[in-house]
Amino acid sequence: MSFNAESFIRAMPKAELHIHIEGTLEPDMMMELAKRNKVTLPHNSVEEIRTAYQFGSLQDFLDLYYAGMSVLKSERDFFDLTFAYLTRMHQENTRHVEIFFDPQGHTERGIVFNTVLDGISSALEKARKEYGISSRLIMCFLRHLSEDSAFETFSHACRCKDRIFGIGLDSSEKGHPPSKFSRVYRAARDEGFVPVAHAGEEGPSSYVCEALDDLKVKRIDHGNRALEDPLLVQRIAREQIPLTMCPLSNKRLQVCPDLTKHPLQKMLDAGLIVTINSDDPSYFGGYLTDNFLAISDALSLDRQALITLGRNAFVASFLPDHEKQKAIDDFDLFISQF
Ligand code: HPA
Ligand code: ZN
């Protein structure tokens, strides 16, 4: 029987390592929460919101992303948002998620840090109990804001170490190099937070080097432009630093408008640990499965490439060793039976 990539992708046990929880806010929930919280939105219908989602650059997207999150106010809102994503992930056979959140996107508009964290973490706990989905929470610093603001956010995280596993760096990349955050990353590493950072999405390959050298990250989020520096590619392969790729995000933000030209296969061929993720699924037109389907179709990925990508997500996860091994064994069992 010939290999059916779509059924394989749908059935495969999955993990997602690059997902911004605020980027899962679907237009219908946005409208509902706007009504619940008496927030006026610039758009009057789900269709109008979807039509507005046309982005020429990362910044075009970020402007709408921050406007959209203004409807999130109460702990219940953050719970509903997170649990809706986890329910979707359960339907897609996703077993493990590592979720970014952007506290400064909320504290800057007067929402209390713990309102955000309590809502997200109670949804994670419910999904663990009801769906068996394991998770890690990664708190991102908004790189367009100051180092002082990052330090203030970090001080909140220090009080909630039991629920925040790692720190990340996101928002407008150009002009905000990783080195701007060297000191807060050092402080966070000293407190035991695991560091990751967005780098080389729109910014140059030197930002990927800085993320490795100055921030000492354990994974690079995106990292597309690392390919412009062959020595850097060799280093990422040698040090086995995973890259969390987001195909539909790359397409919609014009990082790679034509997915048939996406560098994913080249990265696999260079021995990089690459994973597939959705980034901000409600803005970029697809969740985890959709991202697998889109890139598999565009690059005509074969069974072996899909297996590597699927397994990489567990390999690159921050699960403790014994849980990671169990997840990989479950994945391999699925492969042997499919
Ligand atoms: N890049 C940078 N910042 C972000 C993104 C992204 O793709 N999504 C949400 N914040
Ligand atoms: Zn991202």
Side-chain angles (χ1 to χ4, degrees):
M1 205 177 70
S2 71
F3 173 64
N4 182 324
E6 179 170 351
S7 330
F8 180 81
I9 288 167
R10 290 196 189 283
M12 182 174 77
K14 291 181 262 306
E16 173 145 75
L17 307 180
H18 184 158
I19 170 80
H20 302 261
I21 200 62
E22 295 90 347
T24 69
L25 179 59
E26 289 289 339
D28 52 357
M29 186 181 281
M30 196 188 289
M31 302 279 294
E32 191 186 311
L33 294 184
K35 202 160 136 200
R36 189 195 280 179
N37 293 326
K38 302 184 176 43
V39 174
T40 311
L41 287 173
H43 306 288
N44 291 317
S45 70
V46 167
E47 293 69 36
E48 264 187 47
I49 296 175
R50 284 199 200 285
T51 312
Y53 290 172
Q54 315 228 10
F55 314 114
S57 67
L58 173 58
Q59 193 60 50
D60 284 355
F61 153 69
L62 290 168
D63 292 344
L64 284 183
Y65 172 76
Y66 295 122
M69 66 174 80
S70 68
V71 302
L72 296 162
K73 297 222 164 188
S74 68
E75 182 179 330
R76 178 179 159 210
D77 301 338
F78 287 96
F79 174 90
D80 289 349
L81 174 75
T82 309
F83 200 68
Y85 163 70
L86 292 162
T87 299
R88 174 77 187 234
M89 287 301 95
H90 175 57
Q91 290 158 354
E92 295 193 10
N93 279 319
T94 303
R95 307 286 166 82
H96 178 69
V97 294
E98 301 191 354
I99 294 185
F100 294 130
F101 74 119
D102 284 334
Q104 288 153 297
H106 312 299
T107 52
E108 286 267 301
R109 54 188 178 85
I111 310 295
V112 172
F113 182 92
N114 273 77
T115 300
V116 181
L117 181 61
D118 292 352
I120 296 172
S121 44
S122 42
L124 294 175
E125 182 54 20
K126 186 171 158 82
R128 189 187 63 76
K129 286 199 196 118
E130 294 187 7
Y131 301 147
I133 297 179
S134 53
S135 59
R136 293 280 179 270
L137 202 47
I138 301 176
M139 182 186 85
C140 284
F141 300 118
L142 298 185
R143 66 203 306 157
H144 69 276
L145 298 180
S146 67
E147 185 194 30
D148 281 353
S149 176
F151 264 110
E152 193 189 329
T153 307
F154 166 62
S155 72
H156 289 299
C158 287
R159 288 185 283 98
C160 309
K161 275 190 192 170
D162 54 326
R163 290 182 286 167
I164 300 174
F165 184 84
I167 51 154
L169 188 62
D170 64 1
S171 193
S172 322
E173 189 177 8
K174 284 184 192 160
H176 301 285
S179 52
K180 177 176 168 185
F181 298 95
S182 295
R183 286 185 291 206
V184 72
Y185 264 69
R186 186 183 322 123
R189 291 195 311 275
D190 288 348
E191 289 296 325
F193 294 99
V194 172
V196 300
H198 285 52
E201 179 186 19
E202 277 193 346
S205 60
S206 62
Y207 283 18
V208 177
C209 297
E210 278 188 19
L212 294 169
D213 293 333
D214 296 359
L215 308 187
K216 310 212 180 308
V217 296
K218 301 289 184 202
R219 282 197 312 243
I220 296 281
D221 296 308
H222 297 294
N224 302 51
R225 292 192 60 192
L227 278 183
E228 293 168 18
D229 177 349
L231 284 180
L232 176 59
V233 172
Q234 281 176 24
R235 175 185 179 187
I236 294 171
R238 192 174 59 245
E239 295 180 8
Q240 297 283 281
I241 305 288
L243 303 181
T244 60
M245 287 281 127
C246 306
L248 289 174
S249 164
N250 290 166
K251 180 178 155 90
R252 296 291 288 276
L253 297 185
Q254 316 304 325
V255 170
C256 180
D258 177 357
L259 283 188
T260 66
K261 299 197 172 73
H262 196 278
L264 182 89
Q265 184 73 59
K266 277 195 210 98
M267 291 172 150
L268 287 172
D269 295 343
L272 305 183
I273 303 179
V274 200
T275 68
I276 298 295
N277 308 273
S278 69
D279 209 5
D280 300 280
S282 94
Y283 291 87
F284 301 147
Y287 285 77
L288 184 53
T289 300
D290 303 309
N291 273 273
F292 266 101
L293 292 172
I295 197 70
S296 167
D297 190 42
L299 299 181
S300 304
L301 295 178
D302 63 14
R303 178 182 151 98
Q304 189 50 52
L306 292 172
I307 291 173
T308 302
L309 290 167
R311 190 192 278 108
N312 279 353
F314 294 104
V315 170
S317 75
F318 294 137
L319 282 167
D321 286 347
H322 60 286
E323 282 180 48
K324 186 184 285 199
Q325 193 53 54
K326 165 91 174 59
I328 295 171
D329 290 347
D330 288 350
F331 182 87
D332 288 342
L333 182 65
F334 163 81
I335 299 301
S336 68
Q337 291 172 346
F338 187 84

